[in-house]
C-alpha cells in the first residue's frame, strides 16, 4: 500500500502565552498541502521494519513513523507487523509538519491493514501536537498546544514554498520567546475572507521574532522575498520554510521557477492547500 503523507503550513500562528505546565498556548490555522512525502506499507508476520529514503533520519524508535506503528500495533493487540518505506521529499525541521504527517499516515494505513476498535486520536496526540491534525487534514483552527482542533470548510490557496536548507528546532524557538513576543488571537474570519478574495491577509507568526533572533539570516531572507515581489510572506511553524501567496497555481509555478534561478540551492515548490 502506498500513501501520500502531506505537509502543512500555518496560515498564521499566535503564541498567546506560557502555560503552567511549561507548554505554550497557541492559536493557529493548519492547512494541509498537496506536497509531501510518500510512504509504502506492507504487512509482515511480526515486528517493525523501517527504511528511510532521501534523508538522513533514524530508522528505529527515534522516528515518529516507527513510533506510530509501534503504538498502533500494541493498541490493536499485536495482530502482525509492518514493513515501512518512507520516501522523504520534504526538508527536515522545516515547519512543514513532515514527521507528524508521516506518523498520522502510518496510523491510518495500519488501521486498514489491521482493523481494530482503536481510537487514533489519543495515539496521535501522544505522538505530537500536530499529528492529530493530519488524521483529517484539510483546514482547521487549532488551540491549546495545537491539539484542540475545529475543522473548517476547505479552502484552496495557491502558494510558493521556500526553504533555505537551515534546520530550526521548535524547542529552541519556543525557549527563545520573550513576553513581548506573545500576541493576541488570530483574526481568523478576516484571514479567511482575505484569502477568498485573493488579498494579502493581516496574519502573523509569533515565532518569527525569536527565530529571527536565533537565525538573523532568516529575517534577511524574508525581507529579500518581500523585495522580490512576493505577497503575504510568512514563516510556517518554527521555520525555516517561508510561504507566499500566488494568484493561481500557474503563477505559483512561475514564481517558483524564478526563485530557483535566484536561489538555486534552496528547496522551492509551488503548492496548494488541500
Amino acid at each position: 500500500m502506498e500513501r501520500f503523507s502531506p505537509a502543512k503550513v500555518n496560515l498564521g500562528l499566535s503564541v498567546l502565552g506560557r502555560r503552567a505546565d511549561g507548554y505554550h498556548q497557541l492559536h493557529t490555522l493548519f492547512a494541509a498541502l498537496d506536497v509531501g512525502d510518500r510512504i509504502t506499507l506492507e504487512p509482515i508476520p511480526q515486528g517493525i521494519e523501517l527504511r528511510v529514503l532521501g534523508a538522513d533520519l533514524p530508522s528505529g524508535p527515534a522516528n515518529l513513523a516507527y513510533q506510530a506503528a509501534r503504538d498502533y500495533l500494541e493498541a490493536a493487540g499485536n495482530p502482525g507487523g509492518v514493513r515501512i518505506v518512507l520516501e522523504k521529499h520534504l526538508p527536515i525541521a522545516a515547519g512543514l509538519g513532515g514527521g507528524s504527517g508521516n506518523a498520522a499516515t502510518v496510523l491510518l494505513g495500519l488501521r486498514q491493514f489491521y482493523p481494530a476498535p482503536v481510537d487514533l486520536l489519543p495515539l496521535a496526540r501522544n505522538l505530537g501536537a500536530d499529528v492529530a491534525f493530519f488524521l483529517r487534514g484539510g483546514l482547521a483552527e487549532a488551540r491549546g498546544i495545537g491539539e484542540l482542533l475545529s475543522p473548517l470548510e476547505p479552502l484552496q490557496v495557491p502558494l510558493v514554498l521556500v526553504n533555505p536548507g537551515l534546520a530550526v528546532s521548535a524547542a529552541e524557538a519556543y525557549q527563545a520567546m520573550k513576553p513581548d513576543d506573545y500576541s493576541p488571537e488570530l483574526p481568523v474570519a478576516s484571514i479567511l475572507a482575505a484569502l477568498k478574495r485573493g488579498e494579502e491577509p493581516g496574519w502573523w507568526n509569533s515565532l518569527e521574532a525569536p527565530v529571527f533572533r536565533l537565525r538573523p539570516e532568516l529575517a534577511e531572507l524574508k525581507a529579500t522575498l518581500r523585495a522580490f515581489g512576493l505577497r503575504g510572506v510568512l514563516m510556517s511553524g518554527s521555520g525555516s520554510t517561508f510561504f507566499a501567496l500566488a494568484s493561481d497555481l500557474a503563477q505559483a509555478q512561475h514564481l517558483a521557477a524564478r526563485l530557483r534561478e535566484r536561489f538555486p540551492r534552496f528547496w522551492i515548490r509551488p503548492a496548494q492547500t488541500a
Side-chain angles (χ1 to χ4, degrees):
M1 173 199 298
E2 183 176 308
R3 297 186 67 109
F4 175 62
S5 179
K8 63 82 182 167
V9 288
N10 298 81
L11 302 176
L13 171 59
S14 190
V15 182
L16 308 178
R18 195 178 182 92
R19 309 191 324 180
D21 61 6
Y23 289 98
H24 287 84
Q25 192 78 11
L26 308 180
H27 185 217
T28 189
L29 282 170
F30 283 130
L33 301 178
D34 61 357
V35 297
D37 301 324
R38 289 282 172 184
I39 295 181
T40 302
L41 302 170
E42 178 186 349
I44 58 177
Q46 62 180 3
I48 301 169
E49 300 176 9
L50 172 61
R51 184 184 178 197
V52 182
L53 305 177
D56 185 16
L57 288 174
S59 58
N63 191 297
L64 269 182
Y66 186 101
Q67 294 172 28
R70 177 198 63 201
D71 292 356
Y72 182 86
L73 293 174
E74 288 180 358
N78 292 307
V82 63
R83 179 178 295 116
I84 305 169
V85 178
L86 170 55
E87 187 178 333
K88 293 296 293 183
H89 296 282
L90 298 172
I92 309 302
L96 296 174
S100 296
N102 296 162
T105 300
V106 168
L107 290 175
L108 293 167
L110 285 176
R111 184 171 63 180
Q112 283 188 256
F113 279 150
Y114 302 116
V118 175
D119 186 352
L120 297 186
L121 190 56
L123 296 182
R125 287 176 173 169
N126 185 60
L127 290 164
D130 292 357
V131 181
F133 164 72
F134 284 104
L135 291 179
R136 184 181 183 275
L139 180 67
E141 184 176 0
R143 298 178 183 274
I145 59 173
E147 87 286 12
L148 303 177
L149 299 166
S150 299
L152 300 171
E153 183 179 347
L155 182 64
Q156 289 190 329
V157 181
L159 303 170
V160 181
L161 308 177
V162 180
N163 182 280
L166 179 65
V168 175
S169 162
E172 282 184 333
Y174 282 105
Q175 289 169 3
M177 289 205 79
K178 299 178 180 179
D180 289 347
D181 298 327
Y182 299 147
S183 49
E185 291 197 345
L186 294 171
V188 171
S190 64
I191 289 174
L192 296 178
L195 290 173
K196 289 177 182 178
R197 295 191 300 265
E199 299 175 356
E200 187 170 340
W203 52 23
W204 63 84
N205 182 342
S206 303
L207 289 176
E208 283 191 345
V211 169
F212 290 173
R213 287 194 295 270
L214 293 170
R215 303 284 190 271
E217 58 269 44
L218 292 179
E220 295 174 7
L221 175 58
K222 181 175 182 179
T224 300
L225 294 174
R226 293 286 295 184
F228 196 81
L230 297 182
R231 298 183 302 123
V233 180
L234 195 69
M235 189 177 77
S236 182
S238 57
S240 61
T241 301
F242 291 93
F243 63 90
L245 298 172
S247 57
D248 53 35
L249 197 53
Q251 189 195 37
Q253 293 168 340
H254 174 69
L255 290 171
R258 288 183 57 209
L259 285 165
R260 289 191 192 103
E261 293 178 359
R262 173 67 174 81
F263 304 106
R265 296 186 179 182
F266 287 10
W267 182 92
I268 298 170
R269 297 288 187 278
Q272 185 165 265
T273 59

